[in-house]
Amino acid sequence: MENSMQRLPGIGKQRARLFARLGIETISDLLQYFPREYEDRSHVVSLGEADGEAGLPVLVCGTVGTIQELRPRRGMTILKVVLRDETGSVEMTWFNQPFKKKQFHTGMTVTAFGKIEWAYGRRQMNTPDVEEGRPHGNGFMPVYGLTDGLKQNDLRRAVRAALALARQEPELLPAPCVATRHSVQPRLAVYEQMHFPVTREEQEKARQQLAYEELFDMQMGLLLRRRKEGGRQGIKCGPNGSLLRQLFAQLPFQLTRGQTAAFLDIQNDMEGEVPMQRLIQGDVGSGKTVVAALALAKIVENGYQGALMAPTEILAVQHYEEFCRLFHDLPVRIALLTGRTGEKERKTLLAELDAGTIQILIGTHALIQADVLFADLGLVVTDEQHRFGVRQRAALQDKGRSPHVLFMTATPIPRTLALSLYGDLDVSSIRELPPGRKVVKTYAVGESMRQRIYAFMRKNMAQGQQCYVVCPLVEESENVDLQAATALYDTLRTAVFPEFSCGLVHGRMPGKEKDAIMEQFSSGAIQLLVATSVIEVGVNVPNATLILIDGAERFGLAQLHQLRGRVGRGDLQAYCILLAHQGSEETRQRLHYMETIHDGFALAEKDLLLRGSGQLFGYLQHGLPDLKAADIIRDVSLLAAARDEARQVLQAGVDETHVLAALSRRFGASFERLLNN
């Protein structure tokens, strides 16, 4: 209970559940839930000076005068509260919020923040942010990410209460596992400056200290993991033998330079003394699966078994079918295990796996069940590894004795950044696409082109091809986004494309229902798939030739590129239409990059230059803990310095038990990613 959110005033079980939706389970979590931006409330403007012409919100302070509640018609209320100071007045209004009336009484002092506009011959502030009393600290007011049921003031009150509690109980404030050279300011002051800074400079100075400490801890965990891996005896494979030579000979294509280099890296790892821990990152369609097949062939010819785990059943089936084609007529037994495998077939399969007659097992989460026993597992391949939990990946690896491990991901990032991020993994990058693969033609257009786009989609589907439509993100409410997606699906299904079979997938669907829809789309039974931005990564539908991304201005460059990768996976020319409703200069630049650049690595570099911050190609999904203050892109120099200091600390000798305990406190359950990813 010491660290429970329910210790804070006004937070019971129900409210605690709302905070938990934001990942805030404890007071320490709340103190690390930093604002996403700040409103400048450093200057109080007198009501006489407050001017609505600039269109910017202002901070005013005054005394409440008249309070009036109007009911112009049934089901509608308007609350009007006059705010006065010695220079003038403004009328604050709220629509359909009758409960607000109880918050005010004549003569009380309040601070209001909002836009001042002229309406009906008087100055008004429509739904301003109001707090009782004079401004807190005359600084910058935090703006937090929210969930349905929580408002900004709820977060601010809770954070203030948590900071007050931390003054009496400093252990609530997360601390680095070892004091770093950047740990100069008192911890309480640093957290206060992050949440309620007086100046931008103060906030950035506090952020840098916390970011450095966070990155230092992360690097300590990665280096400890590397040390642990280095002490294990791996499976030392021999030089390439006849099975690999036969597989190379019957490949229906020549490997690209990137594929060849990646396999040479894997070959050297597997012929070494230490278990391989390698990540292959390559753009969508770059041929990572073939490299994985070569690695599995190498482990098989050395007398061991291999396993490949995919995040969805449809992807596992596609891998199985591809492996059957690649290993055609070769003496390798390949099997598929998913949740849909029949009981009788499963029993036979497990017996053969335990006996060692099945050499390569491909499947989903079904591979990690307790009764799945390998005779001698030597290589574990995890596809789209960020889709699995730490325990799931570890459970598969534990079925062998220090097996080699290969991760695959389709989210490329710049090489120098990868080396900083994956201090514990060796990284291979595949940059080229296989010969013959056509570039996806990409066009950024406005709303006026919608009907022409629909006509083009109709023409493609009439020729037997398939299309995706990705729904726009509306706001930070999953409910609202889902409603928008359902509405667009209904419109397309009934009014626009009634002659074609349509399907809808979204993040709230049960897994089996989503898999069933995706399978129908993959088989061609569904011609148009409407989806939120959670389209299955890696699903291979060569017949899908067009993707329309509605509201493209709301998506980041990385996400747009990943979505584009859903098409262009066959011999037909594919198209990506970016339908933007509005956008800033940065948005226009982002869409221009999408039109002109098709290489994921080059786009990653542009993203780095364009944004300088934020999640670059989903780096948080690569098994690292969620970072609260640090930004991998903006803080890449801090990360390098933190890695160097962490290495020096470990070399000088440190109490590892203390370090591990501190890392567990900071990162919680996600700490396992540092040691087991």
Side-chain angles (χ1 to χ4, degrees):
M1 187 69 180
E2 292 79 12
N3 204 3
S4 168
M5 283 292 292
Q6 292 184 54
R7 287 189 67 192
L8 301 179
I11 298 181
K13 285 185 180 179
Q14 188 172 349
R15 175 93 5 146
R17 281 195 287 269
L18 294 177
F19 277 92
R21 281 194 211 159
L22 299 172
I24 302 171
E25 303 275 357
T26 66
I27 295 172
S28 297
D29 291 338
L30 176 64
L31 290 169
Q32 292 185 94
Y33 191 72
F34 298 123
R36 68 182 186 191
E37 59 182 320
Y38 300 86
E39 292 173 347
D40 186 354
R41 302 193 184 184
S42 57
H43 178 56
V44 179
V45 178
S46 68
L47 288 169
E49 293 176 351
D51 187 357
E53 290 183 11
L56 298 174
V58 293
L59 183 70
V60 294
C61 183
T63 304
V64 172
T66 58
I67 302 169
Q68 184 182 19
E69 186 179 62
L70 305 177
R71 297 180 180 271
R73 64 173 181 267
R74 188 174 180 180
M76 183 180 186
T77 63
I78 304 174
L79 177 63
K80 296 184 176 184
V81 178
V82 174
L83 186 67
R84 293 193 177 95
D85 68 7
E86 58 274 13
T87 65
S89 64
V90 68
E91 186 178 79
M92 303 184 293
T93 60
W94 289 269
F95 291 86
N96 293 327
Q97 297 183 51
F99 59 88
K100 285 256 179 211
K101 186 178 180 182
K102 296 179 182 178
Q103 298 177 14
F104 300 101
H105 60 81
T106 301
M108 72 184 292
T109 299
V110 299
T111 300
F113 183 79
K115 292 181 182 179
I116 292 184
E117 299 169 333
W118 280 93
Y120 307 107
R122 60 172 66 92
R123 294 192 309 165
Q124 289 187 345
M125 290 182 90
N126 189 20
T127 61
D129 185 359
V130 174
E131 288 190 318
E132 186 174 358
R134 300 202 166 273
H136 288 277
N138 290 335
F140 288 78
M141 188 62 74
V143 178
Y144 299 95
L146 298 175
T147 187
D148 291 344
L150 286 179
K151 299 182 176 64
Q152 290 296 338
N153 280 341
D154 296 328
L155 267 293
R156 291 165 187 161
R157 274 196 299 270
V159 170
R160 285 197 180 101
L163 288 169
L165 197 58
R167 291 187 188 98
Q168 280 79 47
E169 302 174 32
E171 64 274 10
L172 292 172
L173 295 165
C177 59
V178 177
T180 74
R181 54 176 174 253
H182 278 62
S183 305
V184 290
Q185 290 195 84
R187 304 211 63 66
L188 182 60
V190 172
Y191 278 90
E192 287 176 332
Q193 291 162 12
M194 276 296 289
H195 287 284
F196 298 101
V198 175
T199 65
R200 288 281 187 185
E201 294 73 22
E202 180 182 88
Q203 183 271 333
E204 178 57 20
K205 188 177 179 182
R207 191 199 69 82
Q208 289 215 12
Q209 175 170 327
L210 292 174
Y212 184 88
E213 292 173 353
E214 197 171 32
L215 294 169
F216 175 85
D217 280 3
M218 184 182 79
Q219 292 300 310
M220 286 287 281
L222 294 176
L223 290 170
L224 283 172
R225 179 194 182 282
R226 193 69 167 183
R227 179 185 285 184
K228 183 180 76 171
E229 291 296 331
R232 286 167 51 189
Q233 181 66 40
I235 296 168
K236 185 174 169 61
C237 294
N240 294 345
S242 61
L243 178 61
L244 261 171
R245 286 195 291 272
Q246 291 176 71
L247 181 55
F248 270 115
Q250 68 180 44
L251 285 177
F253 46 77
Q254 203 163 13
L255 294 183
T256 64
R257 282 176 303 186
Q259 288 173 311
T260 302
F263 180 66
L264 284 174
D265 289 339
I266 292 167
Q267 179 181 303
N268 291 336
D269 289 345
M270 294 177 71
E271 292 175 9
E273 304 281 351
V274 177
M276 173 174 68
Q277 288 278 325
R278 183 167 290 279
L279 171 77
I280 298 183
Q281 58 165 0
D283 216 341
V284 173
S286 60
K288 298 181 293 295
T289 304
V290 174
V291 177
L294 294 170
L296 287 163
K298 186 171 182 67
I299 204 69
V300 167
E301 70 178 12
N302 278 271
Y304 296 89
Q305 294 164 296
L308 189 155
M309 185 164 66
T312 64
E313 183 168 334
I314 188 169
L315 191 51
V317 170
Q318 288 176 351
H319 279 314
Y320 173 71
E321 292 172 349
E322 176 69 8
F323 271 55
C324 288
R325 285 191 291 271
L326 290 171
F327 285 89
H328 180 63
D329 288 338
L330 294 180
V332 178
R333 179 82 192 284
I334 303 169
L336 174 68
L337 178 64
T338 73
R340 293 193 191 180
T341 305
E343 190 174 339
K344 186 177 179 182
E345 181 187 353
R346 188 176 188 276
K347 188 175 180 180
T348 303
L349 185 154
L350 294 183
E352 292 177 343
L353 185 71
D354 195 16
T357 53
I358 290 176
Q359 294 146 302
I360 297 176
L361 182 62
I362 297 171
T364 57
H365 305 76
L367 268 60
I368 65 176
Q369 293 176 357
D371 59 346
V372 179
L373 303 174
F374 291 81
D376 211 345
L377 179 62
L379 172 63
V380 171
V381 181
T382 307
D383 190 20
E384 296 300 338
Q385 60 98 8
H386 60 271
R387 299 284 297 281
F388 294 98
V390 173
R391 288 187 181 88
Q392 293 167 329
R393 296 196 298 266
L396 184 55
Q397 293 172 38
D398 288 345
K399 292 181 181 291
R401 293 171 294 174
S402 298
H404 295 293
V405 178
L406 184 65
F407 300 117
M408 297 195 294
T409 183
T411 52
I413 61 174
R415 176 76 178 170
T416 52
L417 197 57
L419 293 174
S420 296
L421 278 174
Y422 306 119
D424 62 326
L425 286 179
D426 297 307
V427 182
S428 297
S429 301
I430 304 176
R431 295 190 67 116
E432 311 97 326
L433 291 179
R437 186 66 65 90
K438 292 184 174 70
V439 166
V440 178
K441 291 184 178 180
T442 305
Y443 302 97
V445 299
E447 179 63 32
S448 62
M449 295 289 286
R450 184 179 291 274
Q451 295 309 315
R452 289 182 63 181
I453 295 166
Y454 287 164
F456 186 51
M457 291 169 65
R458 181 174 287 105
K459 178 182 174 184
N460 279 27
M461 288 189 286
Q463 294 172 350
Q465 297 165 33
Q466 292 164 278
C467 300
Y468 293 97
V469 173
V470 179
C471 300
L473 301 167
V474 180
E475 56 181 53
E476 289 180 39
S477 166
E478 205 175 338
N479 283 332
V480 176
D481 284 339
L482 183 51
Q483 288 166 15
T486 305
L488 180 59
Y489 165 67
D490 287 339
T491 299
L492 294 176
R493 178 175 58 89
T494 59
V496 184
F497 301 114
E499 70 271 37
F500 297 110
S501 176
C502 301
L504 171 68
V505 293
H506 55 77
R508 288 202 170 180
M509 266 185 177
K512 287 187 178 179
E513 186 181 342
K514 188 162 58 174
D515 284 348
I517 297 291
M518 294 301 299
E519 196 171 316
Q520 289 178 61
F521 186 66
S522 184
S523 68
I526 288 175
Q527 292 156 294
L528 175 66
L529 185 67
V530 181
T532 55
S533 56
V534 294
I535 294 176
E536 297 296 332
V537 173
V539 171
N540 186 29
V541 185
N543 195 48
T545 57
L546 188 148
I547 184 166
L548 167 62
I549 303 174
D550 201 342
E553 75 278 2
R554 291 182 174 270
F555 294 91
L557 186 58
Q559 204 171 16
L560 290 172
H561 180 64
Q562 288 297 310
L563 290 170
R564 176 166 63 185
R566 300 308 102 223
V567 297
R569 304 173 78 91
D571 298 330
L572 298 170
Q573 179 62 57
Y575 303 87
C576 174
I577 312 295
L578 307 172
L579 181 59
H581 305 288
Q582 58 186 352
S584 62
E585 180 56 39
E586 182 183 319
T587 298
R588 285 190 286 274
Q589 184 66 69
R590 185 165 67 243
L591 298 182
H592 174 69
Y593 284 151
M594 283 294 296
E595 286 184 300
T596 56
I597 301 174
H598 298 87
D599 171 34
F601 289 88
L603 273 175
E605 298 282 3
K606 290 294 186 186
D607 205 11
L608 177 60
L609 294 172
L610 187 64
R611 292 192 293 143
S613 63
Q615 293 184 25
L616 181 63
F617 278 52
Y619 72 86
L620 289 182
Q621 296 178 334
H622 291 284
L624 296 175
D626 294 346
L627 299 175
K628 312 293 186 184
D631 184 303
I632 290 292
I633 310 305
R634 179 167 42 161
D635 298 324
V636 70
S637 59
L638 279 182
L639 191 149
R643 185 182 57 207
D644 290 343
E645 186 175 0
R647 189 179 290 119
Q648 291 167 17
V649 168
L650 283 177
Q651 287 172 351
V654 68
D655 181 351
E656 287 193 15
T657 305
H658 167 77
V659 170
L660 293 173
L663 291 176
S664 293
R665 283 196 303 273
R666 174 185 284 280
F667 296 124
S670 64
F671 167 63
E672 292 183 37
R673 301 178 198 170
L674 291 168
L675 295 182
N676 298 320
N677 176 43

